[in-house]
Amino acid sequence: MQRDTGVTAVRYSESLVARGSLCEKQYVGFATLPNQVHRKSVKKGFDFTLMVAGESGMGKSTLVNSLFLTDLYKDRKLLNAEERINQTVEIIKHTVDIEEKGVKLKLTIVDTPGFGDAVNNNECWKPITDYIDQQFEQYFRDESGLNRKNIQDNRVHCCLYFIPPFGHGLRPVDVEFMKALHEKVNIIPLIAKADCLTPNEIKKLKDRIREEIDKFGIKVYQFPECDSDEDEEFKQLDKELKECTPFAVIGSNTVVEARGQRVRGRLYPWGIVEVENQSHCDFVKLRNMLIRSHMHDLKDVTCDVHYENYRAQCIQEMTSKLAQDNRMESPIPILPLSTPDVDTEKLIKMKDEELKRMQEMLNKMQQQMHDKEQ
Amino acid sequence: MATSVGGLYGEKAGGPMLDFSYVGIDAILEQMRRKAMKQGFELNIMVVGQSGLGKSTLMNTLFKSKVSRKSVLATAQEKIPKTVEIKSISHDIEEKGVRMKLTVIDTPGFGDQINNENCWQPIMKFINDQYEAYLQEEININRKKRIPDSRVHCCIYFIPPTGHCLRPLDVEFMRRLSKVVNIVPVIAKADTLTLEERDFFKKKIREELRANGIDVYPQKEFDEDAEDRMINEKIREMIPFAVVGSDQEYQVNGRRLLGRKTKWGTIEVENIAHCEFAYLRDLLIRTHMQNIKDITSSIHYEMYRVRRLNENNTMVAHANGIPEHHLTAHEM
């Protein structure tokens, strides 16, 4: 790394190895750095925005309540068929603050009532894609602005998409929806109300759905690869997780008694479905993945991939529009990019030359006056 | 190793969970920690002070490793350069699985000339250049996932142990640079001062800093809450730290310690009864390292960015033929 004269930089690689001596306290102390970062995050708290999409009656609200042990939908009024005829897809946000073991989470659930409910569902995902884009745009403006102290991150970190269990795989609306959204948000497809399928039927449906996701080129959220230095148990769990997608879920907030224990479940005449029993459904896998092991990664992929794509696109559009309109102003403060606008450069050069000429004239005049006096 | 799995998911794998109220959101801390450990950390420290004040030795002592310019460059000249140079050396160090890329930026030639006017300029320029480089990366269309951080997080300023008061050069330098970077002033080679002289000197320095409106780290206005303020007030009452550096070991009371051996006794560098090196080390490394980086990125860097953005608006306005608005040029 060489800059102007006087600045040199050299890079070495060297481990803090114990020197030959028996000096005590080889410990420098920067191993506490992760804890210092911790402390700050705990004070600030975290936020997470989860979107749920799917037709009415797929159990979305119940699942959300089950996942986060809250009751976000207390005062909800369900519309009947007539009222739903002319309903358009709405976007409704519910926010709840959860605290556990000192860690604060501001959870936002973005609900999409009306999706897929109408008779004609053409482009019913448009309000949803518009919403996601709006959040990106808002963040982009905030990030490019002057005061960046308290930027609110409302970007959608994850979208749970509910596939009905009644069909034989993905329906056209499922395919179109996921394709419209897979490059804007992390999509996690779920098989809803899985208690109406036998284990064999579930397996067939999952295989079918996985095939079709591949076939149609839908990019659902991919779990990051395991590190080579993780222990075997972790790797095994990770493998199982990946082979289990899409998760077949059941939700419930009612407690029933099964096998002598109180569990969350659904009571049928022929038996009791336990939500948290891994042999009954994948609820536990979904919860563990979503909250306990991959929440941070979901946020990272949103920031590093989806948002960056949006931003790059946005900037390209803006600069091409500026060149067209031949204007120099921009709606948000941006700095000259590494390849500045040709027109701006020309203008600046012109002004510079003008200034130079004027300076020369002044000098000449001064010189003349000086000569005269002499 | 069922325990590690259980630890991650908060339950015994396989059985139904009986705790109805545990969601598991605190696991996000562990997720963050793993990610941070994988990525590693960066730290850039600048040392400023006249030749011979023990800057290189102190760096070596802080990181218990030969990280300074003198230890690394084969042609370590002891000649004083004609102008202030900026030499930066990076090392990858590791401790208990935490990896860090440490960059020590040395400034040989500072304050050594006969006429030292404007000797702070190359240093200001270097600091601003790092901000500029980061800004350019940030506004790029295709940004890197993790922008390499070469911004100076902390500038340790070495005050010669005169025992009287700050010199005009010290005041000039700290006044200008405390506005763009975190300054940690230290009294160098403090083994020439007795405890009373040291206390007097420190008090005098603190008074002069206050009188000149110089805000050194930890700055009062950036205390976030009462807890921070309490901790930082204690530190503010102790700065500048009187330090002694050494990379030689001696036998003292049956233990091998870093120190300086003289005819009248051995000065133990890490003994707080002898000097305040341990406090400096704890502040910089063990407790406030993250905070120093945060203040650099969220305050100093942001101020630079706002200035640059406003400059650009002026330039844009100028190109459009709109009369300039008055701008305060940042003094160099």
Side-chain angles (χ1 to χ4, degrees):
Chain A
M1 176 176 102
Q2 199 80 25
R3 291 237 177 75
D4 35 28
T5 54
V7 181
T8 54
V10 187
R11 197 176 161 160
Y12 289 81
S13 210
E14 186 185 300
S15 279
L16 196 68
V17 187
R19 295 175 294 174
S21 70
L22 301 157
C23 184
E24 286 181 346
K25 299 190 205 155
Q26 282 287 3
Y27 182 59
V28 174
F30 64 85
T32 60
L33 202 49
N35 292 338
Q36 294 179 39
V37 178
H38 243 217
R39 195 171 151 261
K40 184 153 196 244
S41 309
V42 172
K43 268 211 247 184
K44 248 178 54 175
F46 299 89
D47 57 46
F48 190 70
T49 304
L50 179 68
M51 178 181 265
V52 286
E55 292 169 354
S56 300
M58 286 287 110
K60 303 190 291 294
S61 319
T62 312
L63 187 72
V64 167
N65 282 344
S66 306
L67 275 173
F68 295 99
L69 299 176
T70 62
D71 194 3
L72 288 170
Y73 299 93
K74 268 191 298 253
D75 304 314
R76 190 174 62 151
K77 246 187 64 186
L78 290 170
L79 304 173
N80 60 29
E82 288 168 321
E83 289 169 320
R84 285 184 197 182
I85 286 180
N86 289 322
Q87 198 196 26
T88 49
V89 178
E90 283 177 85
I91 306 280
I92 301 189
K93 273 169 49 165
H94 303 269
T95 307
V96 65
D97 288 313
I98 308 178
E99 183 173 336
E100 225 172 49
K101 298 199 180 161
V103 178
K104 297 192 270 280
L105 177 72
K106 174 163 164 262
L107 176 71
T108 306
I109 305 284
V110 179
D111 215 342
T112 56
F115 174 82
D117 281 348
V119 175
N120 178 1
N121 286 312
N122 246 344
E123 302 236 313
C124 61
W125 48 84
K126 195 143 184 323
I128 299 176
T129 51
D130 284 346
Y131 176 81
I132 295 178
D133 281 342
Q134 268 165 32
Q135 306 315 305
F136 280 156
E137 188 187 327
Q138 177 68 47
Y139 193 84
F140 183 37
R141 277 177 187 274
D142 286 346
E143 195 189 41
S144 311
L146 290 178
N147 189 351
R148 308 202 293 185
K149 240 188 165 185
N150 293 316
I151 300 184
Q152 264 233 328
D153 187 3
N154 292 321
R155 298 174 292 186
V156 180
H157 298 123
C158 176
C159 176
L160 296 178
Y161 184 66
F162 289 69
I163 302 171
F166 316 122
H168 292 283
L170 295 178
R171 305 161 302 161
V173 69
D174 298 329
V175 175
E176 288 308 306
F177 176 86
M178 289 202 272
K179 286 188 77 165
L181 261 78
H182 65 170
E183 277 172 353
K184 294 183 191 283
V185 72
N186 297 316
I187 297 187
I188 298 183
L190 303 173
I191 300 175
K193 297 203 161 176
D195 53 347
C196 72
L197 298 170
T198 66
N200 273 339
E201 289 165 350
I202 290 189
K203 184 168 180 316
K204 269 212 291 237
L205 186 57
K206 284 190 183 182
D207 287 340
R208 185 71 192 271
I209 293 180
R210 272 204 297 268
E211 247 178 63
E212 291 179 342
I213 286 180
D214 257 336
K215 188 169 88 169
F216 291 108
I218 300 172
K219 302 190 211 137
V220 297
Y221 172 69
Q222 299 293 337
F223 302 116
E225 287 304 319
C226 240
D227 292 324
S228 50
D229 59 348
E230 298 286 0
D231 54 47
E232 277 311 311
E233 190 111 22
F234 188 84
K235 281 195 197 163
Q236 180 61 24
L237 264 172
D238 192 62
K239 190 155 157 282
E240 279 175 28
L241 211 67
K242 290 186 178 152
E243 287 169 359
C244 210
T245 56
F247 296 126
V249 293
I250 303 168
S252 166
N253 268 350
T254 50
V255 177
V256 294
E257 180 124 354
R259 297 181 283 123
Q261 289 173 334
R262 286 164 52 81
V263 295
R264 271 200 287 268
R266 295 172 61 74
L267 175 61
Y268 291 110
W270 49 87
I272 298 178
V273 180
E274 296 163 44
V275 164
E276 277 163 2
N277 188 330
Q278 299 221 43
S279 59
H280 287 193
C281 74
D282 298 328
F283 173 81
V284 171
K285 289 207 175 72
L286 173 67
R287 179 191 57 199
N288 288 344
M289 185 229 60
L290 188 62
I291 303 175
R292 299 184 194 175
S293 55
H294 288 75
M295 188 182 263
H296 197 64
D297 188 59
L298 285 166
K299 292 176 73 171
D300 277 348
V301 174
T302 306
C303 291
D304 298 338
V305 179
H306 300 298
Y307 172 69
E308 290 295 317
N309 283 341
Y310 173 83
R311 181 179 170 272
Q313 232 178 17
C314 212
I315 296 185
Q316 304 265 17
E317 282 171 20
M318 271 190 344
T319 46
S320 64
K321 207 166 154 272
L322 280 181
Q324 271 178 14
D325 293 353
N326 217 16
R327 289 186 316 155
M328 302 304 164
E329 299 157 41
S330 53
I332 57 169
I334 51 168
L335 289 175
L337 303 173
S338 34
T339 51
D341 212 17
V342 172
D343 285 359
T344 326
E345 278 228 317
K346 272 211 295 230
L347 250 155
I348 295 177
K349 232 176 136 194
M350 263 171 44
K351 299 264 172 178
D352 261 325
E353 283 170 19
E354 239 187 86
L355 266 159
K356 246 194 248 166
R357 265 181 271 133
M358 287 174 61
Q359 188 68 30
E360 278 171 30
M361 268 173 38
L362 250 151
N363 286 345
K364 250 198 234 149
M365 281 167 60
Q366 277 187 350
Q367 187 66 28
Q368 282 176 1
M369 279 170 43
H370 185 79
D371 289 338
K372 263 201 198 144
E373 282 172 32
Q374 298 225 327
Chain B
M1 287 260 281
T3 45
S4 70
V5 169
L8 182 61
Y9 292 135
E11 64 188 64
K12 297 189 285 288
M17 210 177 77
L18 296 179
D19 180 359
F20 289 116
S21 56
Y22 179 62
V23 176
I25 58 179
D26 56 323
I28 194 169
L29 291 181
E30 182 59 32
Q31 296 172 38
M32 274 183 62
R33 200 195 152 86
R34 288 165 137 245
K35 177 158 185 233
M37 298 281 280
K38 265 214 269 187
Q39 274 180 347
F41 300 88
E42 291 170 300
L43 184 67
N44 306 320
I45 301 189
M46 180 183 261
V47 284
V48 180
Q50 284 171 314
S51 189
L53 284 181
K55 305 189 290 292
S56 305
T57 311
L58 188 71
M59 282 293 107
N60 287 351
T61 319
L62 264 176
F63 291 97
K64 295 217 168 124
S65 176
K66 301 223 179 282
V67 292
S68 72
R69 166 184 62 100
K70 298 223 175 117
S71 316
V72 160
L73 292 180
T75 57
Q77 321 134 310
E78 296 299 342
K79 280 168 45 174
I80 294 179
K82 289 269 164 61
T83 52
V84 179
E85 297 176 344
I86 311 276
K87 290 198 153 50
S88 97
I89 309 237
S90 297
H91 286 262
D92 289 319
I93 53 182
E94 189 203 315
E95 188 175 77
K96 297 200 176 165
V98 178
R99 288 173 304 119
M100 183 157 85
K101 174 168 168 244
L102 170 71
T103 304
V104 178
I105 303 153
D106 208 341
T107 55
F110 176 85
D112 287 333
Q113 315 306 327
I114 297 175
N115 180 359
N116 285 311
E117 261 174 20
N118 297 330
C119 67
W120 48 81
Q121 268 182 14
I123 298 176
M124 286 270 303
K125 181 169 185 305
F126 179 80
I127 293 176
N128 284 332
D129 282 347
Q130 307 316 304
Y131 288 149
E132 182 64 29
Y134 194 87
L135 184 61
Q136 289 300 328
E137 283 288 342
E138 216 185 29
I139 61 175
N140 226 346
I141 296 186
N142 292 317
R143 307 199 278 204
K144 300 205 183 94
K145 199 165 192 196
R146 219 179 137 225
I147 301 177
D149 192 359
S150 62
R151 299 174 293 192
V152 179
H153 298 128
C154 171
C155 174
I156 305 183
Y157 187 74
F158 287 69
I159 301 171
T162 60
H164 296 172
C165 58
L166 289 176
R167 304 165 302 156
L169 176 63
D170 300 333
V171 174
E172 278 302 309
F173 180 86
M174 286 199 276
R175 194 163 55 87
R176 287 154 199 279
L177 260 77
S178 57
K179 299 195 185 122
V180 296
V181 72
N182 294 321
I183 296 203
V184 177
V186 296
I187 300 175
K189 299 205 162 173
D191 50 342
T192 58
L193 299 169
T194 64
L195 291 182
E196 291 90 15
E197 288 166 352
R198 181 201 295 177
D199 284 338
F200 174 78
F201 191 26
K202 289 214 272 185
K203 236 178 72 191
K204 204 74 212 311
I205 292 178
R206 280 198 295 271
E207 269 171 31
E208 285 192 291
L209 289 177
R210 238 193 320 264
N212 283 290
I214 301 176
D215 254 329
V216 298
Y217 183 83
Q219 297 94 332
K220 229 188 191 131
E221 48 179 334
F222 304 144
D223 285 340
E224 279 174 19
D225 51 37
E227 195 192 335
D228 275 351
R229 210 169 304 133
M230 209 176 62
I231 299 174
N232 290 344
E233 269 308 316
K234 291 212 192 91
I235 297 172
R236 283 190 278 265
E237 282 162 21
M238 288 209 295
I239 52 168
F241 294 120
V243 295
V244 174
S246 166
D247 43 16
Q248 303 266 16
E249 287 156 22
Y250 294 99
Q251 195 87 358
V252 178
N253 291 338
R255 292 148 66 210
R256 287 193 69 83
L257 298 173
L258 287 173
R260 289 173 62 73
K261 191 168 176 159
T262 62
K263 290 258 154 58
W264 47 91
T266 304
I267 304 158
E268 296 161 40
V269 164
E270 279 169 319
N271 185 337
I272 52 175
H274 290 195
C275 78
E276 295 175 328
F277 169 79
Y279 291 130
L280 176 71
R281 178 202 55 206
D282 287 348
L283 177 77
L284 275 186
I285 300 178
R286 295 186 190 175
T287 55
H288 283 68
M289 188 186 266
Q290 187 58 37
N291 184 245
I292 287 176
K293 294 175 68 173
D294 285 341
I295 297 207
T296 306
S297 72
S298 62
I299 296 179
H300 294 300
Y301 170 70
E302 289 297 315
M303 284 202 327
Y304 177 82
R305 181 174 171 273
V306 170
R307 266 206 298 261
R308 280 287 276 129
L309 286 181
N310 282 331
E311 266 175 37
N312 181 58
N313 280 344
T314 307
M315 186 178 85
V316 162
H318 194 223
N320 270 336
I322 300 171
E324 276 181 44
H325 16 267
H326 181 64
L327 256 193
T328 44
H330 51 265
E331 4 161 9
M332 279 276 260

